[in-house]
Amino acid sequence: MEKVIIIRYAEIHLKGKNRGYFERVFAVNLERALKGIRHELHRTSGRYLIAAFDEGRTEEILSKIARVFGVHSYSLGYLTGGELDEIYDACLLVAPRRGTFKVESHRAYKNYPLTSMQISAEIGARLLQAFPLKVDVHSPEHTVYVDVRTAHEALVFCSFEPGPGGMPVDTSGKGLLLLSGGIDSPVAGYMMAKRGMSVELLHFHSYPYTNDGAKEKVKELAALLAAYSISPVLTTINVAHIQEAIHSKCAPELNVTLLRRFMVRLAERVAKRKGAQCLITGESLGQVASQTIEGITSSNAVATLPILRPLIGFDKDEIILHAKKMGTFDISIQPFEDCCTVFLPDFPAIKPKLSFVEEEEGKLDVEALLQEAMESEETFTL
Amino acid sequence: MKIYLDNAATTRPNVDAVQRAFSALGDDYFNPSALYLEGVVMHNAIRSARKTLLEAVADPFLYDLIFTSGGTEADNHALFGLCRRGNVIISQGEHAAVYESAMELKRRGADVRLAPLRADGSVDPEKLLALVDDRTSLVSVVHVNNETGAVNDIEALSSQVKERNEHTLFHSDGVQAYGKIAFRLPRSVDAYSISAHKIGGAKGTGALIRKKNIRLLPYLFGGGQEGGMRSGTENVFGILCFAYAAEPKFVSLAREGARLSALRELLWQSLNCDVFRRISPEDGSPYILAVAADGLRGEILQRLMAERGVLVGTGSACSSRHPFSRVVAACGLEERFLHGVLRFSFSTETTQEEVMAAAAAANDAASELISRTGR
């Protein structure tokens, strides 16, 4: 009998001939998450088992598994031999000591001498003798699971912890996340990583108008996102000169609209170099003046890559809830302005007309400004 | 090396003081409460430091001194330990340690009254006195305003307060005054907060000087150190370092005051008067010059000056929650100056060359910002 962690994966079973590929990437991601902790990873049909692990670090292992995308659920249990007595010994270890319970059995190995019902009945009867328990097959407080895998192997466990779901990261291409330091963008990155996308990070700052505290905050966010398999490499670009040029030459109500078009263009240059196939933003429809459909139209007009906006239909409350769950919320609300208000117009355009935006942008030497900004690029590995 | 003119935030520790106190972190690590000889030696060292620090400003027959973890703890101890039923009066120019303590007293139901400021950041004595009535339990007025350097005449204020109500206690936050301006604690001041790291000591040490005959509630309970007022094993290193750093400050107090006053005026005269307006009064602390830039953000100027190798303080950070300093706003500064506050603060190490370079950096930074943003 051996203590093991049973990991079940989500959605991969939907894949046909590509399944092997998804499973391999999933295994690599699990190994990466558990790097530095003694363990063995075994694949069995439809499940992964973590065995021979450092039991003193069980909690740490479980919390790392809980953040690997593709994990549908996981359980801490025992791998035993196939004999009923061996299975029962493991059940004794995981079974509740009081309250109501039932035993639920499965047989992947159909030649086992007992049927599932017989296994449940036999184990249940013995447990009833061992502990002051009561059977309740409809809504038990505890369920003891017995899963007979082969003639010589069975899994026994008593809990199902839900994993984050989704697809293994690195199976759905690569995207570049525009990470602002606010509440939304980390959540957007999480959502795309959850769908298996490998996510790279780009942050725009506006030194000297924004301070180092704001940049440190973004680094802190990036470091936290790395726990969700998001790239720990952060690229930053200074857009202060672009803001100054827009401020001095263009209609003030278009300040933000124009700056976003520059950000899209800069992000595309970074994305293409990093091999990213799309941009990801935390925009949510109508949340602020620049996130209207007209605002989105004006930024999309300069994009050649798709811009994914996974939060587009979310309310702020829903996003905040998610950010709290991820642990990014407390960092995001630290009071450093991510975009200092020096250049904010009193009344930003809510419905900027593309023709007007293009006309105003025509007053600027776009390419020169882009090149100047690209020269400010910095990279931090967190 | 950078030019450091943010000494009101903290000063470079006095190397000599650190070295002399250092043995308390090494061979002389004994607990001052221990009864064997080694402990008694440490106890005596602390007693001697206490004497040095207290006698520099107060009569040791009337006052004693409680070591704390810093100015903030001393202020908290004074407000929470001295306030009684009735009302509490503080000035609008108080450091956050006093102001937020008073706000907490208010949340707990106390009647807290705020005395308005004059343009230089000093409290308006008449308006303060008008707030005092027969139910005033405590008045707290900062000695030297940490943002503008304005000096409040705590001797006059405290005695006038006591004329109105002899039972009212008077506390003053002296963190920016101790070791920097000449004064003796008058009998009418009941408690006075000081801090080590503003005068070359180590961070994490301060003290509350209090009159012996007033009733102060203990702040931390435990082993009964500091006369039972503030339990906890003493920060021996910090305390010794505080005393060693204070000694030379008091020796050179008058000379340094005159030298830095001259440097402060030189700095002011070297700043571009089209951009900067002076907030600090001429009769204020020689250690602080606060100015405000017209229509510019102090925080951005600060960063542009840091790029030029000069570190200064600002009135506030660029944050939506606290768009500008509460204290400077209470001075009645116009809106367009409010965001542009810069604070130059000096130490014994500050030289004329540094002051000239700082003025040039401030002027350059302002010109750059004006040309980049069109203001």
Side-chain angles (χ1 to χ4, degrees):
Chain A
M1 181 166 43
E2 185 186 6
K3 204 168 199 174
V4 292
I5 297 165
I6 303 143
I7 297 170
R8 301 164 203 89
Y9 46 66
E11 278 194 46
I12 298 177
H13 59 275
L14 299 176
K15 308 296 167 199
K17 292 187 175 146
N18 287 326
R19 181 165 161 172
Y21 164 69
F22 284 95
E23 287 180 338
R24 272 196 306 279
V25 176
F26 184 51
V28 168
N29 291 352
L30 280 171
E31 290 285 11
R32 192 189 301 147
L34 298 179
K35 203 172 160 189
I37 304 177
R38 178 170 57 80
H39 72 281
E40 286 171 18
L41 183 67
H42 303 292
R43 205 173 94 205
T44 69
S45 57
R47 282 161 186 66
Y48 284 87
L49 287 185
I50 293 174
F53 57 90
D54 185 343
E55 289 193 25
R57 297 173 76 177
T58 304
E59 285 303 319
E60 191 184 341
I61 295 173
L62 293 179
S63 90
K64 284 182 189 285
I65 290 169
R67 290 195 295 254
V68 175
F69 292 118
V71 173
H72 173 267
S73 65
Y74 57 93
S75 306
L76 188 60
Y78 289 91
L79 176 66
T80 76
E83 294 296 325
L84 197 63
D85 285 342
E86 294 175 279
I87 292 173
Y88 173 67
D89 286 343
C91 287
L92 275 177
L93 292 174
V94 302
R97 297 298 185 256
R98 63 178 69 83
T100 61
F101 85 113
K102 73 170 176 179
V103 180
E104 199 172 301
S105 305
H106 283 278
R107 294 182 315 164
Y109 172 65
K110 298 296 183 193
N111 295 329
Y112 196 75
L114 300 178
T115 66
S116 296
M117 291 299 284
Q118 287 170 326
I119 300 170
S120 295
E122 183 59 32
I123 299 283
R126 292 196 199 179
L127 285 175
L128 274 174
Q129 284 177 351
F131 302 118
L133 288 163
K134 275 173 78 173
V135 174
D136 179 349
V137 292
H138 299 298
S139 52
E141 291 169 59
H142 309 280
T143 305
V144 176
Y145 297 92
V146 176
D147 187 0
V148 181
R149 305 304 302 168
T150 69
H152 313 291
E153 271 185 356
L155 294 169
V156 173
F157 51 92
C158 192
S159 71
F160 262 101
E161 298 296 333
M167 306 281 297
V169 167
D170 289 345
T171 58
S172 307
K174 191 190 266 190
L176 179 67
L177 173 66
L178 278 62
L179 185 66
S180 68
I183 297 166
D184 303 348
S185 46
V187 178
Y190 175 96
M191 302 270 256
M192 296 321 300
K194 181 176 166 185
R195 293 311 301 164
M197 185 166 268
S198 142
V199 178
E200 303 270 337
L201 304 174
L202 172 64
H203 172 66
F204 293 109
H205 66 92
S206 171
Y207 185 85
Y209 305 107
T210 54
N211 61 30
D212 288 335
K215 212 182 203 177
E216 286 309 312
K217 174 171 120 176
V218 172
K219 286 189 200 166
E220 210 181 318
L221 281 174
L224 204 150
L225 287 173
Y228 296 99
S229 308
I230 288 173
S231 165
V233 179
L234 173 71
T235 303
T236 66
I237 291 178
N238 187 350
V239 292
H241 287 290
I242 295 174
Q243 285 183 289
E244 286 161 7
I246 295 172
H247 180 72
S248 70
K249 297 206 174 109
C250 306
E253 69 268 28
L254 289 185
N255 265 350
V256 182
T257 311
L258 290 171
L259 179 61
R260 289 192 90 89
R261 283 163 64 93
F262 276 94
M263 286 177 170
V264 167
R265 292 184 178 107
L266 290 167
E268 284 212 339
R269 293 190 181 190
V270 175
K272 283 175 181 161
R273 203 184 55 226
K274 286 177 173 281
Q277 299 140 296
C278 65
L279 305 183
I280 304 164
T281 74
E283 287 162 297
S284 151
L285 191 65
Q287 191 185 94
V288 291
S290 61
Q291 296 180 14
T292 57
I293 187 62
E294 290 82 359
I296 288 171
T297 305
S298 109
S299 348
N300 274 19
V302 294
T304 58
L305 296 177
I307 304 178
L308 303 184
R309 300 176 170 92
L311 306 183
I312 199 71
F314 280 73
D315 290 349
K316 194 75 184 182
D317 291 349
E318 296 171 290
I319 300 171
I320 287 175
L321 213 65
H322 210 107
K324 282 184 174 164
K325 231 162 61 184
M326 288 165 65
T328 51
F329 182 74
D330 290 336
I331 305 173
S332 293
I333 58 166
Q334 287 170 18
F336 297 109
E337 300 279 301
D338 49 26
C339 186
C340 200
T341 47
V342 175
F343 296 110
L344 271 192
D346 294 337
F347 296 101
I350 297 171
K351 298 183 175 184
K353 248 199 191 133
L354 190 56
S355 57
F356 180 46
V357 172
E358 285 169 345
E359 186 191 321
E360 285 296 303
E361 197 177 73
K363 298 174 181 172
L364 303 170
D365 185 346
V366 174
E367 184 52 37
L369 286 168
L370 289 173
Q371 277 183 16
E372 190 184 358
M374 288 304 289
E375 279 163 22
S376 72
E377 185 178 337
E378 288 180 278
T379 305
F380 303 93
T381 303
L382 302 155
Chain B
M1 204 164 69
K2 290 203 169 166
I3 294 172
Y4 182 70
L5 292 184
D6 196 16
N7 290 285
T10 193
T11 52
R12 177 198 297 277
N14 177 328
V15 177
D16 178 53
V18 171
Q19 280 171 352
R20 283 171 69 194
F22 191 72
S23 69
L25 295 176
D27 292 340
D28 299 329
Y29 58 84
F30 304 99
N31 191 321
S33 302
L35 296 176
Y36 33 80
L37 181 64
E38 287 80 354
V40 175
V41 169
M42 299 323 293
H43 181 84
N44 289 343
I46 288 177
R47 192 172 57 191
S48 155
R50 194 189 311 275
K51 186 164 174 277
T52 305
L53 291 165
L54 180 60
E55 289 182 355
V57 294
D59 178 351
F61 291 101
L62 286 178
Y63 290 90
D64 63 11
L65 182 147
I66 301 159
F67 284 112
T68 67
S69 67
T72 294
E73 187 190 313
D75 285 341
N76 273 258
H77 193 168
L79 264 84
F80 290 100
L82 293 177
C83 112
R84 302 281 182 274
R85 253 176 291 179
N87 58 64
V88 174
I89 301 169
I90 64 167
S91 84
Q92 287 187 327
E94 295 307 305
H95 184 272
V98 167
Y99 183 82
E100 292 300 332
S101 297
M103 290 304 113
E104 176 59 22
L105 287 172
K106 192 173 180 178
R107 280 189 287 272
R108 295 180 189 180
D111 172 7
V112 174
R113 302 173 179 181
L114 292 173
L117 302 184
R118 298 186 289 206
D120 64 4
S122 62
V123 68
D124 186 326
E126 284 174 23
K127 290 182 177 157
L128 173 85
L129 291 170
L131 295 173
V132 179
D133 59 26
D134 56 0
R135 304 212 359 104
T136 303
S137 71
L138 176 67
V139 173
S140 181
V141 175
V142 68
H143 193 177
V144 170
N145 184 303
N146 60 301
E147 293 191 36
T148 71
V151 179
N152 287 306
D153 183 352
I154 56 170
E155 177 160 10
L157 283 171
S158 57
S159 63
Q160 286 161 351
V161 164
K162 303 236 159 173
E163 274 169 32
R164 293 204 155 225
N165 182 344
E166 57 177 343
H167 300 296
T168 303
L169 297 176
F170 193 97
H171 164 255
S172 180
D173 175 338
V175 168
Q176 298 292 351
Y178 186 83
K180 296 185 176 181
I181 63 171
F183 74 101
R184 297 290 298 175
L185 270 189
R187 277 168 175 269
S188 45
V189 171
D190 299 288
Y192 192 78
S193 307
I194 62 177
S195 172
H197 75 110
K198 312 288 191 190
I199 56 164
K203 291 161 196 68
T205 317
L208 181 65
I209 297 173
R210 60 117 186 202
K211 228 197 253 148
K212 286 176 181 171
N213 64 356
I214 58 158
R215 189 168 157 258
L216 177 72
L217 301 175
Y219 192 69
L220 293 175
F221 296 85
Q225 290 88 345
E226 300 300 307
M229 286 291 129
R230 203 276 184 192
S231 290
T233 302
E234 296 86 343
N235 174 3
V236 183
F237 166 76
I239 288 169
L240 299 186
C241 192
F242 191 1
Y244 296 148
E247 279 167 0
K249 292 294 291 183
F250 282 96
V251 170
S252 64
L253 195 99
R255 194 177 58 218
E256 277 298 294
R259 187 181 74 88
L260 292 175
S261 285
L263 288 188
R264 186 189 60 176
E265 294 314 309
L266 178 67
L267 174 58
W268 169 240
Q269 281 150 19
S270 312
L271 287 173
N272 180 349
C273 58
D274 293 336
V275 178
F276 294 103
R277 174 194 282 197
R278 179 168 177 159
I279 301 173
S280 298
E282 284 190 20
D283 60 357
S285 164
Y287 285 77
I288 294 176
L289 176 71
V291 298
D294 187 359
L296 302 176
R297 288 210 182 226
E299 188 203 352
I300 300 169
L301 285 176
Q302 181 194 45
R303 287 198 278 279
L304 294 174
M305 288 179 70
E307 278 181 6
R308 292 165 169 80
V310 178
L311 302 179
V312 296
T314 58
S316 66
C318 172
S319 140
S320 48
R321 279 182 228 175
H322 304 287
F324 40 73
S325 152
R326 159 182 62 78
V327 172
V328 176
C331 297
L333 201 64
E334 294 133 86
E335 173 107 33
R336 63 180 219 270
F337 286 99
L338 270 183
H339 298 279
V341 177
L342 285 181
R343 180 185 67 183
F344 301 84
S345 51
F346 317 120
S347 80
T348 341
E349 297 179 356
T350 307
T351 64
Q352 182 169 337
E353 292 70 41
E354 287 182 326
V355 162
M356 296 301 289
N363 292 337
D364 279 2
S367 316
E368 181 188 332
L369 190 54
I370 290 168
S371 75
R372 284 174 73 171
T373 61
R375 198 176 296 201

